[in-house]
Amino acid sequence: MSSFVIEGGHKLHGEITPQGAKNEVLQILCATLLTSEEVTVHNIPNILDVNNLIQLIRDMGVTVSKLNADTYSFKADNVNLSYLESEEFLLRCSKLRGSVMLVGPLLSRFGKAMISKPGGDKIGRRRLDTHFIGVQKLRASFDYDAERGVYTLSADRLKGTYMLLDEASVTGTANIVMAAVLAEGTTTIYNAACEPYLQQLCKMLNRMGAKITGIASNLLTIEGVKELKGCTHTVLPDMIEVGSFIAMAAMTRSEITIKNVSYDNLGIIPDSFRRLGIKIEQRGDDIFVPQQEHYEIESFIDGSIMTIADAPWPGLTPDLLSVMLVVATQAKGSVLIHQKMFESRLFFVDKLIDMGAQIILCDPHRAVVIGHDHNFSLRGGNMTSPDIRAGIALLIAAMGAEGTSRIHNIEQIDRGYQNIEQRLTALGARITRI
């Protein structure tokens, strides 16, 4: 198990470019199975979860070619269907959360899919009901072997229908959309997720010959087609990295420029950081974060304490709440962080409290942060990363702390962030991998 050793208190300076969006590329990779023609994807990040899914697809019989550092081509013209029922395949799926999105393409194109209960971050329950209820409404049969933890689905030909999702699940919507594009007839999905990553998937499928309307809304209409063709697709920059870099600048009182952020696809993220008092300037498609010695949390119009909460898009992504919580520890004022979607994601705050942060964990979903206003710094600590987003939040805390910190289990961070210590060291951070 690797660790980061972080010497805190060093200012950052320079430019940094966010990697391709992990949450988008996992959907896009699964969608390459919908056609026998070649699909080329640009801006693929070199991170553990993505690399594992690429290797899994390769082992399924897809021809995968690496064209340059961040560009791959995929040709699924000889998929090994017998491998998809093997214990090796099921075991590997159980270790990769994104593998659940193989269900829609496999079921749609080949009429059957088998997958094991996927793992992933330990952030609370992440149920899959939306995925499987959706494809069952498309006339797929479904069976769950609880003893083996294996889901089996089949259909001679999926048939379009109307459905109202019980939750606006991003991966659930993606799975249903990928199943519906080759289904017979028209599928209408109400309460669909509409995150930029889901929009990107729909736009790519349309370039492949799908007929999807309502993109960017919560009402998608999909007219099924008989087959899809190849295409070229470019993945958006990762909005979670963009937010993480804003937070690093604030915590270390540094001046940095974040390049090529696709600003129009960041939604409420910049304004959410501004509510914490952080100055952000849009310069073309870049973000400039000036050096600030102090930043003050806003209050609501009636003077009540600011609440920052996650919500389905266009609300604030839950993946940034851990980062914003850390930033608030050095702000002037107080804020309530309300993590609605995952009941275990705030359990890393005890590590911040050990570092000297003033935080009251009200319950698994809510934490009140009383900011230090940089009157005194957090102390370096010895900690373990419980999940990807808490891991990067702890790294940000350590960068702004006095003294040396050690973060264990950084494989969790590697799952979501590409060469993060090298990229931050280039800005002036002191991070060593051991």
Side-chain angles (χ1 to χ4, degrees):
M1 184 182 293
S2 300
S3 303
F4 280 148
V5 176
I6 305 102
E7 185 180 306
H10 294 279
K11 290 188 180 296
L12 309 179
H13 184 75
E15 299 178 348
I16 191 166
T17 302
Q19 67 188 23
K22 172 198 168 186
N23 289 343
E24 177 187 338
V25 78
L26 294 177
Q27 299 176 32
I28 297 301
L29 293 177
C30 293
T32 65
L33 292 166
L34 284 165
T35 178
S36 61
E37 296 186 17
E38 186 173 76
V39 177
T40 301
V41 185
H42 301 284
N43 202 27
I44 294 179
N46 180 23
I47 56 177
L48 195 58
D49 276 4
V50 170
N51 293 338
N52 285 343
L53 184 55
I54 289 173
Q55 187 57 49
L56 181 61
I57 289 172
R58 180 182 282 118
D59 292 341
M60 291 166 61
V62 178
T63 301
V64 180
S65 301
K66 187 173 183 177
L67 305 181
N68 60 43
D70 68 354
T71 301
Y72 287 76
S73 69
F74 304 87
K75 192 170 185 181
D77 59 346
N78 190 27
V79 175
N80 183 354
L81 297 180
S82 61
Y83 177 71
L84 305 181
E85 299 178 4
S86 68
E87 290 300 321
E88 178 187 342
F89 173 75
L90 294 173
L91 177 62
R92 292 173 65 183
C93 288
S94 70
K95 299 177 181 179
L96 180 61
R97 182 78 189 175
S99 64
V100 70
M101 287 182 290
L102 294 169
V103 167
L106 291 176
L107 189 59
S108 184
R109 184 172 166 209
F110 302 108
K112 61 180 179 178
M114 181 180 289
I115 196 166
S116 52
K117 187 175 182 180
D121 290 336
K122 306 301 182 185
I123 57 176
R125 293 171 294 172
R126 303 175 76 178
R127 60 189 181 87
L128 299 175
D129 299 55
T130 303
H131 299 248
F132 297 127
I133 292 172
V135 294
Q136 285 181 84
K137 288 183 176 179
L138 296 173
R139 308 277 185 92
S141 64
F142 170 79
D143 178 70
Y144 176 53
D145 185 335
E147 186 174 336
R148 296 175 64 207
V150 173
Y151 305 96
T152 304
L153 302 101
S154 63
D156 292 332
R157 179 84 192 270
L158 298 175
K159 296 187 183 298
T161 188
Y162 169 86
M163 64 182 78
L164 173 60
L165 303 187
D166 63 332
E167 63 170 348
S169 164
V170 177
T171 54
T173 302
N175 233 343
I176 296 165
V177 166
M178 288 187 283
V181 289
L182 295 178
E184 180 182 328
T186 300
T187 300
T188 303
I189 308 173
Y190 198 21
N191 195 31
C194 53
E195 272 77 356
Y197 306 142
L198 200 283
Q199 297 175 36
Q200 285 281 96
L201 172 67
C202 291
K203 291 174 183 177
M204 171 182 157
L205 292 172
N206 277 352
R207 289 197 301 275
M208 295 170 70
K211 296 180 179 179
I212 306 171
T213 57
I215 298 172
S217 78
N218 69 346
L219 181 61
L220 294 175
T221 302
I222 304 147
E223 184 181 335
V225 298
K226 290 186 177 180
E227 62 180 7
L228 298 179
K229 59 186 180 182
C231 74
T232 298
H233 179 78
T234 300
V235 175
L236 286 175
D238 196 311
M239 67 172 73
I240 313 306
E241 272 215 340
V242 173
S244 299
F245 297 148
I246 293 171
M248 290 174 188
M251 279 295 288
T252 59
R253 289 180 276 188
S254 302
E255 172 187 299
I256 67 170
T257 298
I258 310 167
K259 302 289 290 182
N260 303 323
V261 300
S262 188
Y263 196 92
D264 291 343
N265 285 298
L266 294 178
I268 201 173
I269 290 172
D271 282 340
S272 296
F273 279 102
R274 290 186 180 106
R275 295 177 95 176
L276 294 178
I278 300 168
K279 295 177 182 176
I280 297 170
E281 299 176 19
Q282 180 184 359
R283 296 183 174 180
D285 207 29
D286 302 339
I287 284 178
F288 174 70
V289 186
Q291 179 178 330
Q292 286 182 256
E293 291 302 315
H294 302 277
Y295 47 96
E296 183 172 357
I297 299 170
E298 295 179 0
S299 59
F300 287 116
I301 292 173
D302 64 359
S304 58
I305 185 172
M306 175 61 60
T307 298
I308 293 183
D310 58 340
W313 190 270
L316 181 65
T317 171
D319 286 346
L320 276 175
L321 280 192
S322 300
V323 166
M324 300 187 80
L325 187 151
V326 168
V327 170
T329 66
Q330 290 300 332
K332 179 180 180 181
S334 301
V335 63
L336 172 65
I337 302 292
H338 192 172
Q339 168 63 267
K340 298 177 181 178
M341 297 175 68
F342 303 108
E343 69 266 30
S344 301
R345 232 177 194 172
L346 294 181
F347 285 172
F348 78 103
V349 301
D350 61 324
K351 301 172 179 63
L352 297 176
I353 293 170
D354 290 342
M355 297 175 75
Q358 293 187 318
I359 304 171
I360 301 168
L361 185 61
C362 307
D363 55 45
H365 293 276
R366 297 177 301 160
V368 175
V369 185
I370 299 102
H372 293 162
D373 191 21
H374 285 298
N375 288 322
F376 58 91
S377 298
L378 300 180
R379 302 181 296 269
N382 188 29
M383 43 209 157
T384 299
S385 171
D387 64 74
I388 299 174
R389 306 310 176 186
I392 202 70
L394 292 173
L395 177 61
I396 294 168
M399 290 169 64
E402 285 185 354
T404 299
S405 299
R406 187 181 294 251
I407 302 176
H408 306 287
N409 194 30
I410 60 171
E411 288 78 8
Q412 287 282 2
I413 300 174
D414 291 337
R415 289 177 50 216
Y417 295 86
Q418 173 179 306
N419 303 324
I420 190 67
E421 77 275 19
Q422 298 171 21
R423 296 160 70 202
L424 295 179
T425 296
L427 291 180
R430 299 285 179 87
I431 304 172
T432 305
R433 179 185 294 259
I434 60 172

